[in-house]
Amino acid sequence: MTTATSPRSPLIGAALSRVEGPLKVSGTAQYTSDHHFDGMLVGVPVTATIATGRVSQIDSSIAQGMPGVHTIFTTDNIGPLYRVSPASGASIDEYRPPLSDDKVTYYGQYVALVVADTFEHATAAARAVKVSYDEEQPDVSLELTPDDEPSVDTERGDPEAVFAAGDVTLDAVYTTPPETHNPIELHASVAVFDGTRYTLYETTQAIMNHQAVMVQMLGVEPENVRVVTEYLGSGFGGKLWPWTHSVLAAAAARQLRRPVKIEITRKMMFQTVGHRTNTQQRMRLSATKDGKLTSLQHDYVFHVSRLDKSKENCGEATGYFYSVPNLRATAAFARRDIAPNTSMRGPGAVPGLYALESAMDEMAIKLNLDPVQFRLMNEPEIDEGKGVPFSTRHYTECLTRGAKSFGWAERTPEVGSMRRDGMIVGWGMAGASWMAKRLAAESTVTFLGDGRVRVACATQDIGTGTYTVLAQMVADMTGMDIADIHVQIGDSALPAGPMSGGSMATGSLVPSVSKSAKAAIENLLSLASKGEHSPLSGVDADQLAFTGGWVHRKDQPAQQGLRFEDLLAKENVAFVSGDGSSEPSSKDKDDDKRSIHSYGAHFVEVTWQPEIARLRVNRVLTVIDAGKIINPRTGRNQIEGAVIMGVGMALFEQTHYDRRNGAPINSNLADYVMTTHADAPTIDVEFLDFPDLALNEIGARGIGEIGLAGFAAAVTAAVYHATGVRVRDLPVKIEDLLASTVTH
Ligand code: MOS
């Protein structure tokens, strides 16, 4: 239910540039690997060249004598490292501490760590460490057969019986390959240990979780671990949870009492810091002849590692996206000799919606319906999975507005029927959805003696604009100029804030920062009232107001009062602050009585030149319903990035594993193909602006992931429209398209 929002300044919704932009473009922003300390050593891991078996011997005799080598760590001398308790609430994907036994469970696993004076010396010595193995034959095959009984994600009615008796049915299997996150900033860890306290400079999307994990693995008290991540060169989910190199850097710093830096290589990015696992999804749909869905079954299986399993929740959106009385989604794991998988932008829902939205496109064609129309016909009134209303849902507006802006009415549905400039044009579309939740957050807003206002929170900016939207929020909530807001984040010593994951940071910060801004203003007015030297001394704080930096009587114009920095100076008070904290949305009293999600619709144009087998994604229009958009510039940038990543998911990205030894083969940026400038389409992004007050007073839901959800299905739908080839196995390959019979 939408109620009137309290009046907000024009800053909420202003398309501001990133406030930290000048620091980044001038090279003054300190990224993790930029940190250097006197006496710092550099660690380079020795990586396993088998995927499964045991380390029988490590001979470091030659490496030990090489120039600059300080220490070579193995299981024998790394010191005690502990497991994270699953009951602690801290998140990690690889539970076994590094170097804790002789068992190898994936290719590239760290089996030793060389610490030397320089990266070059450590690298050379790491290559000279001789590791012998008792090797077993790995299984990294992509064939997916469930190990265990599938578990039911969501279920209603009798989908099997209804499907069997369905008028129009579709039974199709869709597969997605393993993908590897490749933010340009490599994972890095710089660990400083003073004998009691650790300061860990990290590339993490979640400093508080990183701290919670590290205190457990190192076996120390929380006050003895500080985690710092001032700037991130993105992460895409790969930097959500700690990985083994971070633990090794801290352990090495502990053993040596010297700062230790480990920056992993691009090749290691493919081996030891997670990936999006491959999925196989069987979709069974039935509908009446006039296009009403009657049943939907979504059965999926995905690969996980031997020791750990992270669920790729492909059924996330299946239960609520469309109206269908009979439905079941099931999940199953298949273990392989691969490294632990992890979250990657839109985990679960992104591969899941590729399958669901592809199946919707195929059904629309079977029903001889326009795919936009088919979706509009199956719009639910409520979340039928949970049986509760939506907080707000504007999916139909995404579809209709997108169709209008894209010019969808001009589409002729026959395969290969649209031409332009000597090329065959294909148009496809798909829907998008992503969850919206709020995490717990604490923050402090402080009025400083120099006239600035600081907001402090132990959250971090993955590059998406958290510095900027925090500044916008505080400027709005205090009435100050945005240039006077100082945002301090990226340090676990600050009040505990949310992770940058699940598109939840922005929405989670609003209520906490609002409370701390209010508390800070209250404390300021109280100082004005109680202070000995304040010109407003003795005036009841209730009679005072704070307007644009001025403390004044409510019944007088602001500038007849005094600036807050003058008040602080008169009272010889260094600063006045206020704290705020907010609960996660899971604690809201009506959290189980509503369904909160973001929505979107993608419209895609591809061009196809059969003579030279050239396919290109040419034009994209995406309409997003993500509540109130605090900053349309950084917001648009998020969706543009997601679209570019979506072109990669549809056409390029795939990690190949060598069946002989389990190695990711294309482990570099030349062979792991991603969207380049030349591949990037023209992108239009439209935001619907329906505030969703279920999560916070601004009505912001978050936009990090929604742009990738469903996108690949829009591309494969457009590819089908152009070529007549239905690709159900991502990415689309030229070999697939050679089967096209469409010619000029
Ligand atoms: Mo996102 S996969 O939650 O960083």
Side-chain angles (χ1 to χ4, degrees):
M1 211 178 313
T2 309
T3 51
T5 37
S6 55
R8 307 227 73 104
S9 78
L11 275 172
I12 300 299
L16 302 178
S17 298
R18 283 172 173 73
V19 294
E20 81 286 13
L23 291 177
K24 287 182 173 173
V25 298
S26 63
T28 33
Q30 290 277 296
Y31 288 80
T32 296
S33 66
D34 294 333
H35 290 278
H36 291 279
F37 296 95
D38 286 345
M40 190 178 81
L41 299 168
V42 177
V44 169
V46 178
T47 60
T49 55
I50 66 165
T52 182
R54 284 179 188 282
V55 174
S56 54
Q57 202 199 352
I58 295 180
D59 176 0
S60 32
S61 54
I62 293 172
Q64 189 65 64
M66 287 173 65
V69 172
H70 191 285
T71 303
I72 298 176
F73 288 104
T74 64
T75 304
D76 298 335
N77 59 346
I78 194 65
L81 291 170
Y82 304 90
R83 283 175 75 90
V84 171
S85 163
S88 69
S91 295
I92 186 167
D93 281 314
E94 183 167 349
Y95 275 89
R96 178 180 55 170
L99 307 186
S100 61
D101 60 29
D102 62 357
K103 216 165 144 30
V104 176
T105 60
Y106 59 88
Y107 188 95
Q109 179 186 316
Y110 302 144
V111 293
L113 176 74
V114 175
V115 176
D117 57 349
T118 66
F119 175 73
E120 290 74 15
H121 282 153
T123 300
R127 286 190 186 133
V129 174
K130 287 190 203 135
V131 184
S132 314
Y133 302 95
D134 295 327
E135 186 178 3
E136 292 159 27
Q137 182 57 41
D139 180 358
V140 296
S141 70
L142 291 186
E143 286 82 31
L144 283 148
T145 28
D147 285 354
D148 317 307
E149 273 301 294
S151 61
V152 174
D153 287 348
T154 178
E155 187 172 28
R156 59 185 180 257
D158 188 351
E160 268 167 46
V162 172
F163 177 79
D167 286 344
V168 182
T169 61
L170 175 84
D171 184 348
V173 174
Y174 303 88
T175 58
T176 61
E179 296 174 321
T180 307
H181 329 62
N182 269 287
I184 291 304
E185 184 200 31
L186 301 163
H187 288 239
S189 183
V190 180
V192 182
F193 181 59
D194 70 4
T196 308
R197 299 196 71 221
Y198 293 86
T199 306
L200 307 174
Y201 299 87
E202 283 295 342
T203 51
T204 174
Q205 296 173 231
I207 49 176
M208 294 313 298
N209 182 74
H210 199 98
Q211 187 209 33
V213 165
M214 296 304 289
V215 298
Q216 292 185 66
M217 296 193 82
L218 295 165
V220 298
E221 297 299 319
E223 59 270 27
N224 289 331
V225 176
R226 178 178 164 215
V227 179
V228 177
T229 302
E230 280 177 286
Y231 300 100
L232 268 171
S234 197
F236 305 117
K239 293 173 183 168
L240 272 175
W241 318 133
W243 294 105
T244 46
H245 66 274
S246 298
V247 187
L248 286 179
R254 172 185 67 188
Q255 303 305 94
L256 301 175
R257 300 288 159 98
R258 297 265 295 266
V260 173
K261 176 194 286 194
I262 298 178
E263 183 178 27
I264 72 167
T265 62
R266 185 59 64 181
K267 188 169 189 169
M268 291 173 196
M269 294 284 283
F270 287 83
Q271 297 172 344
T272 53
V273 289
H275 60 278
R276 194 203 294 279
T277 193
N278 52 312
T279 73
Q280 173 180 291
Q281 306 176 60
R282 183 181 184 194
M283 304 298 301
R284 279 172 288 178
L285 275 64
S286 64
T288 61
K289 289 193 183 70
D290 56 1
K292 177 72 194 78
L293 281 172
T294 54
S295 76
L296 168 53
Q297 294 172 81
H298 186 175
D299 301 298
Y300 60 95
V301 53
F302 51 87
H303 281 164
V304 292
S305 69
R306 288 288 170 205
L307 299 185
D308 303 282
K309 56 181 190 182
S310 164
K311 183 177 176 184
E312 188 68 20
N313 191 16
C314 298
E316 176 164 323
T318 308
Y320 66 82
F321 207 18
Y322 295 108
S323 177
V324 49
N326 304 284
L327 177 145
R328 183 161 56 239
T330 71
F333 298 85
R335 292 202 183 274
R336 289 291 183 274
D337 299 304
I338 52 169
N341 61 306
T342 191
S343 296
M344 181 165 162
R345 201 174 199 167
V350 161
L353 281 165
Y354 160 64
L356 177 59
E357 288 298 288
S358 293
M360 288 296 284
D361 193 67
E362 294 204 52
M363 269 305 262
I365 291 167
K366 283 197 173 209
L367 290 159
N368 206 21
L369 284 170
D370 179 90
V372 175
Q373 183 62 24
F374 180 47
R375 285 168 172 88
L376 291 172
M377 287 170 67
N378 290 284
E379 172 69 7
E381 299 266 320
I382 62 164
D383 177 329
E384 295 176 3
K386 288 167 73 183
V388 299
F390 295 108
S391 55
T392 73
R393 169 170 161 131
H394 296 280
Y395 181 44
T396 58
E397 288 95 327
C398 293
L399 293 167
T400 52
R401 177 152 160 194
K404 189 159 181 289
S405 299
F406 191 78
W408 189 254
E410 289 160 37
R411 181 177 184 263
T412 53
E414 295 73 32
V415 164
S417 63
M418 293 174 70
R419 314 279 164 126
R420 196 178 59 230
D421 302 334
M423 291 182 285
I424 298 160
V425 173
W427 283 6
M429 57 77 53
S433 184
W434 181 247
M435 65 169 189
K437 289 187 190 337
R438 202 183 62 236
L439 302 168
E442 296 171 19
S443 59
T444 301
V445 167
T446 304
F447 291 99
L448 302 170
D450 63 4
R452 293 184 307 157
V453 181
R454 181 177 63 201
V455 57
C457 178
T459 187
Q460 54 289 306
D461 189 336
I462 183 174
T464 48
T466 302
Y467 276 101
T468 311
V469 297
L470 262 173
Q472 286 174 272
M473 280 179 212
V474 176
D476 169 73
M477 290 160 182
T478 58
M480 295 290 294
D481 194 293
I482 193 151
D484 294 327
I485 310 297
H486 172 55
V487 178
Q488 197 169 10
I489 58 175
D491 185 339
S492 67
L494 301 170
M499 66 169 177
S500 301
S503 308
M504 294 186 280
T506 300
S508 302
L509 288 165
V510 172
S512 168
V513 173
S514 174
K515 284 182 190 168
S516 39
K518 281 196 186 98
I521 290 171
E522 250 173 51
N523 292 339
L524 194 61
L525 300 185
S526 176
L527 174 67
S529 165
K530 292 181 183 155
E532 280 178 35
H533 309 286
S534 160
L536 297 162
S537 188
V539 181
D540 199 290
D542 287 354
Q543 301 307 309
L544 298 176
F546 179 74
T547 309
W550 295 80
V551 180
H552 63 98
R553 286 174 184 269
K554 275 183 183 163
D555 58 5
Q556 287 183 354
Q559 297 186 10
Q560 285 187 20
L562 77 167
R563 296 286 309 175
F564 75 82
E565 59 271 30
D566 294 337
L567 172 64
L568 294 177
K570 280 185 199 301
E571 297 295 341
N572 192 29
V573 164
F575 57 83
V576 168
S577 52
D579 300 325
S581 69
S582 54
E583 299 262 280
S585 52
S586 59
K587 295 258 179 76
D588 289 351
K589 71 174 184 350
D590 48 356
D591 185 53
D592 54 347
K593 297 198 188 80
R594 67 214 168 158
S595 167
I596 313 176
H597 299 277
S598 285
Y599 297 92
H602 306 287
F603 292 79
V604 168
E605 175 179 289
V606 299
T607 51
W608 169 236
Q609 293 166 271
E611 305 86 339
I612 55 169
R614 180 168 195 251
L615 179 84
R616 187 166 192 283
V617 177
N618 187 54
R619 178 166 75 97
V620 171
L621 173 91
T622 291
V623 183
I624 298 291
D625 162 33
K628 179 72 190 176
I629 303 301
I630 294 178
N631 186 329
R633 184 192 295 258
T634 54
R636 181 193 164 93
N637 195 205
Q638 283 287 286
I639 305 301
E640 288 170 335
V643 163
I644 288 165
M645 196 167 174
V647 172
M649 179 180 174
L651 303 185
F652 307 124
E653 289 196 45
Q654 174 167 22
T655 311
H656 295 279
Y657 291 88
D658 189 329
R659 289 194 173 220
R660 295 166 302 177
N661 60 6
I665 303 168
N666 53 337
S667 53
N668 57 72
L669 293 187
D671 297 317
Y672 185 87
V673 185
M674 290 188 285
T675 312
T676 65
H677 280 73
D679 307 303
T682 303
I683 305 169
D684 280 320
V685 180
E686 295 184 14
F687 288 114
L688 303 183
D689 209 7
F690 294 105
D692 185 344
L693 301 178
L695 287 181
N696 55 61
E697 64 189 68
I698 289 177
R701 279 197 300 241
I703 39 178
E705 285 153 304
I706 178 80
L708 186 60
F711 188 81
V715 175
T716 53
V719 166
Y720 175 79
H721 185 227
T723 67
V725 176
R726 174 64 63 175
V727 179
R728 300 193 185 96
D729 180 23
L730 290 184
V732 174
K733 291 168 270 302
I734 293 299
E735 303 89 285
D736 299 325
L737 302 181
L738 294 177
S740 174
T741 55
V742 174
T743 53
H744 280 295

